[in-house]
């Protein structure tokens, strides 16, 4: 779930760059010098979420989306929405992982009980 949020953030950063080039005083080069690595970071983090540090870096990316509101004010709202979505994805993902682990443990216990019954 978290990877999906990060994939959508690549698009958000792309669209932010396009809008910032037209509506802000920043030059095109400056916008792409900031947004290009941001898009690459979000894309790379999608595959790096197996590492614990990637979640911390992703929180920094969420903060950067909110801070982008100082350039384009709508990003305060969009960045806030994506930060809430990121929080929800992490929370729901942990819950789903816990439920899968419990179901797997119950399955293993049932298999063990069935094997013990067959042996006796």
């Amino acid at each position: 779930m978290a990877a999906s949020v990060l994939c959508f953030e690549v698009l958000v950063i792309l669209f932010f760059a396009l809008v910032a080039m037209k509506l802000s005083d920043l030059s095109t080069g400056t916008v792409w010098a900031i947004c290009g690595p941001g898009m690459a970071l979000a894309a790379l983090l999608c595959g790096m979420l197996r590492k614990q540090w990637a979640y911390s870096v992703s929180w920094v990316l969420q903060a950067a989306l909110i801070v982008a509101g100082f350039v384009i004010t709508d990003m305060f709202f969009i960045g806030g929405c994506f930060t809430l979505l990121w929080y929800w994805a992490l929370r729901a993902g942990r819950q789903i992982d816990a439920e899968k682990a419990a179901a797997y443990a119950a399955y293993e216990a049932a298999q063990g009980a069935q094997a013990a019954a067959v042996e006796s």
Side-chain angles (χ1 to χ4, degrees):
M1 295 181 82
S4 299
V5 174
L6 289 171
C7 287
F8 281 113
E9 285 181 1
V10 171
L11 295 174
V12 167
I13 296 169
L14 171 67
F15 293 131
F16 166 77
L18 296 174
V19 171
M21 285 189 307
K22 296 291 182 186
L23 298 181
S24 73
D25 294 333
L26 299 174
S27 69
T28 302
T30 302
V31 169
W32 286 115
I34 296 169
C35 294
M39 289 170 35
L41 177 65
L44 289 172
L45 285 171
C46 290
M48 301 299 289
L49 289 176
R50 294 175 191 212
K51 310 281 186 195
Q52 188 60 36
W53 60 264
Y55 290 94
S56 299
V57 174
S58 297
W59 276 111
V60 172
L61 183 64
Q62 304 311 310
L65 286 177
I66 294 171
V67 169
F70 289 109
V71 177
I72 303 294
T73 56
D74 291 344
M75 285 302 292
F76 285 124
F77 176 72
I78 295 169
C81 288
F82 269 88
T83 300
L84 290 174
L85 190 59
W86 174 252
Y87 171 76
W88 176 80
L90 294 181
R91 187 169 177 228
R94 269 189 243 115
Q95 182 180 359
I96 290 168
D97 288 345
E99 289 173 3
K100 280 188 349 185
Y104 184 74
Y107 173 77
E108 289 293 319
Q111 291 296 320
Q114 185 179 11
V118 170
E119 289 178 6
S120 56

